Amino acid sequence: MKYARVGGGLCAAPPLPAILALCLLLTGCSGLPTAREMGDMALLRTLGVDPSPAGVSVTGSTGPRAKGLQGDREPALTLSADRESLSGACLAMQGQSDSFVFFGYVDQLLVGEELAKEGVRPVLDYFSRDAELGLGAQLWLVQGASARDALSAGGDEGVDARLETIQNDSKMGIANLTRTAGAVYTDLLELGSAYVPALSPAGEGGAVLAEQGYGVLKGDVLAGFLEGEAAKGVELLAGGSSADVLDVELAEGPVSVKVTSACTKSRLEFQGEVPSALKLTCKVEVRLLEYRTRPDGQGVESLRTEVARRERVRLEAALDRLQAWGTDCAGLGAKAGMFHPARWQAVQADWPEYFSKVPVEIQVEVKIR
């Protein structure tokens, strides 16, 4: 420790590195980002990624922006660039705006179908490493169109409000299950497959984004899309069934019930060390909505039987496609393997192959409120 004489006494002098650091801060050479006013920044909310002849195409949207003190709003700002790499395209977008383009507010990530066919891993890797971006963004696959086309669906208003509406509706159980990029990334690493909500431009001139079931990734490449009953089956397998109304014709008259919850548990049976059967028990809870005559006795049993039959059809539709692709994106094997850890560890690496051919037994239990 060195000392300096101050007023006739000695005191400890700060070490040289501390003095240099202070000088750097005072001279603006610290390497820290320069502070900016919010009004000087273009805050991107949605990012879309597609392949391009140059390598990769990136499109970003801000949504409507505040203007002045009167609460006026400017149209959504849309920027796009094609470069060899994601980082190069994002950097190129900086020169397209009179404001500093900030990526730290991106909370919606759209991946075009063509890029999904090539593989989404580079995009997820980039989001996981970038200082401004992150894996907390909601991930969507665009079916039958590019992410750039999807971002243009909102016009001057952008697509941010539409995506937020779907996301909020999903939390209330009245829209498809939404997933973050991090959740999909984790499934790809741990399960080797993942399901992702799908959207597609619809309406006149593709002016709105419509839900299109789910896309299924195998490895990181698109295996296919599930729609209709198969999409509902995936929701049942994942245990997060979105709201659904079933109309059933009984002897007493028509009855409408609403599916309020679903939970599917899986169990593996082995013959020696080889999986011989995958047994699923799906518990569904429904609530009576409408009826001419309230079902009672035999009517309740008939209703329960019919609801169980329909939910079984959905499960079978999803499993037929998933087994054909060898994609256990709901993690049925991993959940069942918790009860046989040693046996599961022995077959885990080859589970996609086992899953594609193992017999599946389905039991549906319905509770009527």
Side-chain angles (χ1 to χ4, degrees):
M1 176 71 72
K2 296 184 179 180
Y3 293 87
R5 184 171 297 277
V6 180
L10 295 176
C11 66
L16 184 60
I19 297 176
L20 291 176
L22 179 61
C23 292
L24 289 173
L25 287 172
L26 293 176
T27 57
C29 299
S30 65
L32 296 176
T34 305
R36 295 180 182 271
E37 296 292 336
M38 292 292 287
D40 296 333
M41 303 172 70
L43 307 178
L44 296 185
R45 292 291 308 280
T46 305
L47 209 64
V49 189
D50 298 295
S52 81
V56 63
S57 170
V58 178
T59 307
S61 172
T62 62
R65 296 172 293 160
K67 179 182 179 182
L69 300 177
Q70 305 303 318
D72 298 331
R73 299 200 306 173
E74 293 182 345
L77 174 65
T78 301
L79 307 172
S80 61
D82 293 18
R83 290 294 187 274
E84 293 184 8
S85 64
L86 268 167
S87 53
C90 290
L91 181 61
M93 291 165 65
Q94 288 285 358
Q96 299 177 7
S97 171
D98 55 1
S99 302
F100 176 75
V101 180
F102 183 60
F103 293 83
Y105 276 80
V106 171
D107 57 0
Q108 308 288 346
L109 170 60
L110 277 64
V111 174
E113 181 174 341
E114 291 304 314
L115 182 65
K117 291 178 180 178
E118 296 180 3
V120 302
R121 180 69 179 268
V123 178
L124 298 179
D125 285 343
Y126 182 75
F127 265 65
S128 70
R129 291 193 298 261
D130 189 84
E132 293 182 4
L133 300 170
L135 293 173
Q138 298 293 318
L139 179 61
W140 312 85
L141 292 184
V142 182
Q143 182 178 6
S146 67
R148 182 169 292 179
D149 290 339
L151 262 73
S152 66
D156 290 345
E157 293 298 314
V159 297
D160 309 278
R162 172 60 177 158
L163 296 177
E164 288 180 359
T165 297
I166 298 176
Q167 184 179 343
N168 291 332
D169 287 350
S170 176
K171 294 177 181 178
M172 295 186 290
I174 55 177
N176 284 2
L177 304 178
T178 56
R179 311 204 72 201
T180 65
V184 173
Y185 200 19
T186 300
D187 281 356
L188 292 179
L189 294 175
E190 295 183 353
L191 305 177
S193 60
Y195 65 94
V196 186
L199 302 170
S200 181
E204 186 176 352
V208 66
L209 288 179
E211 297 177 88
Q212 295 293 336
Y214 302 92
V216 177
L217 301 173
K218 182 177 183 179
D220 69 332
V221 176
L222 179 66
F225 289 96
L226 298 177
E227 300 176 349
E229 297 294 81
K232 291 294 184 183
V234 168
E235 294 172 356
L236 292 172
L237 292 174
S241 179
S242 62
D244 187 30
V245 175
L246 301 176
D247 298 316
V248 180
E249 190 67 37
L250 299 178
E252 298 91 333
V255 175
S256 297
V257 297
K258 179 180 180 180
V259 179
T260 58
S261 66
C263 177
T264 299
K265 295 184 178 180
S266 55
R267 183 164 59 90
L268 267 176
E269 290 191 351
F270 290 81
Q271 186 173 2
E273 299 300 320
V274 178
S276 59
L278 176 62
K279 296 190 174 183
L280 306 180
T281 301
C282 180
K283 296 184 178 181
V284 179
E285 186 171 297
V286 301
R287 178 166 57 88
L288 283 172
L289 290 180
E290 300 178 52
Y291 48 84
R292 292 178 184 173
T293 303
R294 184 180 181 90
D296 193 10
Q298 184 59 41
V300 171
E301 288 305 313
S302 298
L303 177 61
R304 182 179 289 109
T305 299
E306 178 60 16
V307 171
R309 184 192 69 80
R310 293 194 185 184
E311 298 297 66
R312 177 190 296 274
V313 168
R314 291 173 166 177
L315 289 165
E316 290 173 346
L319 286 166
D320 284 347
R321 302 289 296 281
L322 296 179
Q323 285 191 294
W325 295 331
T327 54
D328 181 14
C329 58
L332 302 173
K335 295 173 184 176
M338 296 175 61
F339 300 97
H340 306 279
R343 286 179 170 177
W344 171 247
Q345 188 175 7
V347 302
Q348 184 176 4
D350 300 319
W351 174 243
E353 181 179 353
Y354 284 119
F355 176 69
S356 65
K357 58 187 179 183
V358 67
V360 180
E361 300 177 17
I362 302 173
Q363 179 180 352
V364 181
E365 300 175 4
V366 178
K367 179 179 180 180
I368 302 175
R369 291 199 301 171

